[in-house]
Amino acid sequence: MGRGRVELKRIENKINRQVTFSKRRNGLLKKAYELSVLCDAEVGLIIFSSRGKLYEFASAGMNRTLERYQRCCYTPQESNLADRETQSWYQEVSKLKAKYESLQRSQRHLLGEDLGPLSVKELQNLEKQLEGALTQARQRKTQMMIEQMEELRRKERHLGDINKQLKNKFQLESEGQASQFRAIQGSWESAALVQANSFQGHPSHSGAMDCEPTLQIGYHNFVPQEGGNVQRTVEENNYIQGWVL
């Protein structure tokens, strides 16, 4: 029995649909390659999967094939429009190129290069242009210097204010330290005065301090009285000489 006709419709089973896609995609790419080789044809094939993945085949390069396709699909009216747009772009490019060359030539003239082909009038115009540019540059320089001086003056005033604040703070701290030192000194003096008054109020201590103890070392100089007993005096003298203190 022969194979029955397969009804073309979307495969509902996701796995079967993916398997069928892989098999038929590979077969289609193979057929496109065989067609390009066997028949010397320019073949371009583009495939997007359901997930958005790209598969492509081009026997002569995809960009070249797409450009050829666009040229073949244009109508004569569209072709004429494209030609006019192309000519317009060419003219625009030519204008921009000429302007670019003119700007380069003017730049060289301003730098003092390639002045030989210029006439006297052109040189005079160039001189006026340079003088005008020099005047503007000097004005701009003067303006910038004035702005910098103003900025420096502002910084100077700010630093002067900070210096005054620090000076006032230092003076206040110095006065506080001086008053504190004077208060400590006054407390010391009052304490010393109180202590002196307390000593003056107790005379016994002063008398005791005035009465210094005496210590005599050596023999006593004994002088006998007139009319006294000389023998007794000699004995007492001998008795006293027996000890030192």
Side-chain angles (χ1 to χ4, degrees):
M1 294 179 61
R3 183 178 178 181
R5 186 176 180 181
V6 179
E7 184 181 2
L8 294 177
K9 66 177 183 179
R10 183 176 181 273
I11 301 174
E12 299 297 334
N13 191 337
K14 185 176 180 181
I15 298 175
N16 294 337
R17 185 169 62 246
Q18 185 65 29
V19 172
T20 303
F21 172 77
S22 299
K23 290 181 178 180
R24 298 209 173 208
R25 179 200 63 202
N26 295 333
L28 186 59
L29 293 172
K30 183 178 179 182
K31 291 295 182 180
Y33 171 71
E34 291 176 353
L35 180 62
S36 64
V37 172
L38 294 176
C39 301
D40 193 17
E42 185 176 351
V43 181
L45 176 61
I46 299 175
I47 302 174
F48 285 100
S49 67
S50 59
R51 297 181 180 180
K53 192 173 181 180
L54 173 65
Y55 302 93
E56 63 178 4
F57 169 78
S59 59
M62 186 59 68
N63 293 330
R64 178 181 173 182
T65 303
L66 291 176
E67 290 176 358
R68 185 175 178 181
Y69 171 77
Q70 290 177 357
R71 287 196 300 269
C72 293
C73 291
Y74 278 159
T75 61
Q77 184 178 359
E78 293 177 350
S79 179
N80 294 332
L81 180 61
D83 293 338
R84 287 196 297 271
E85 290 180 355
T86 304
Q87 292 178 0
S88 176
W89 283 113
Y90 280 143
Q91 291 177 0
E92 188 69 21
V93 170
S94 301
K95 290 179 181 179
L96 292 175
K97 187 176 180 181
K99 187 175 181 180
Y100 174 72
E101 292 177 354
S102 176
L103 290 175
Q104 280 190 333
R105 186 166 56 254
S106 299
Q107 183 180 7
R108 289 195 299 269
H109 293 166
L110 291 174
L111 294 175
E113 300 176 356
D114 298 338
L115 298 178
L118 298 180
S119 62
V120 177
K121 187 176 182 179
E122 291 176 347
L123 291 173
Q124 290 177 355
N125 294 331
L126 180 61
E127 184 180 3
K128 291 180 181 179
Q129 187 177 1
L130 290 173
E131 289 178 354
L134 182 60
T135 302
Q136 292 180 0
R138 287 175 178 173
Q139 291 177 357
R140 179 57 184 166
K141 183 185 71 173
T142 305
Q143 183 180 359
M144 291 181 65
M145 292 178 66
I146 292 173
E147 292 176 356
Q148 290 178 0
M149 289 176 65
E150 292 294 333
E151 182 68 18
L152 291 175
R153 288 174 183 172
R154 187 184 63 80
K155 289 182 179 180
E156 182 182 3
R157 289 192 297 268
H158 181 65
L159 292 175
D161 295 338
I162 294 175
N163 189 14
K164 288 180 181 179
Q165 293 177 2
L166 293 175
K167 187 177 180 180
N168 295 332
K169 185 178 180 180
F170 178 74
Q171 289 180 355
L172 292 175
E173 291 179 355
S174 300
E175 291 176 358
Q177 291 178 0
S179 61
Q180 186 178 3
F181 177 75
R182 286 195 297 269
I184 295 173
Q185 187 177 7
S187 63
W188 287 352
E189 290 177 356
S190 61
L193 183 61
V194 170
Q195 186 176 5
N197 293 332
S198 64
F199 277 110
Q200 290 178 2
H202 296 79
S204 60
H205 292 285
S206 61
M209 292 175 66
D210 294 337
C211 296
E212 297 179 357
T214 59
L215 178 63
Q216 184 175 357
I217 301 175
Y219 297 99
H220 294 278
N221 293 326
F222 182 77
V223 179
Q225 298 180 357
E226 294 182 359
N229 191 356
V230 176
Q231 185 65 29
R232 184 180 176 183
T233 303
V234 171
E235 290 177 358
E236 291 176 358
N237 191 12
N238 292 330
Y239 175 74
I240 292 170
Q241 290 177 358
W243 57 281
V244 176
L245 299 177

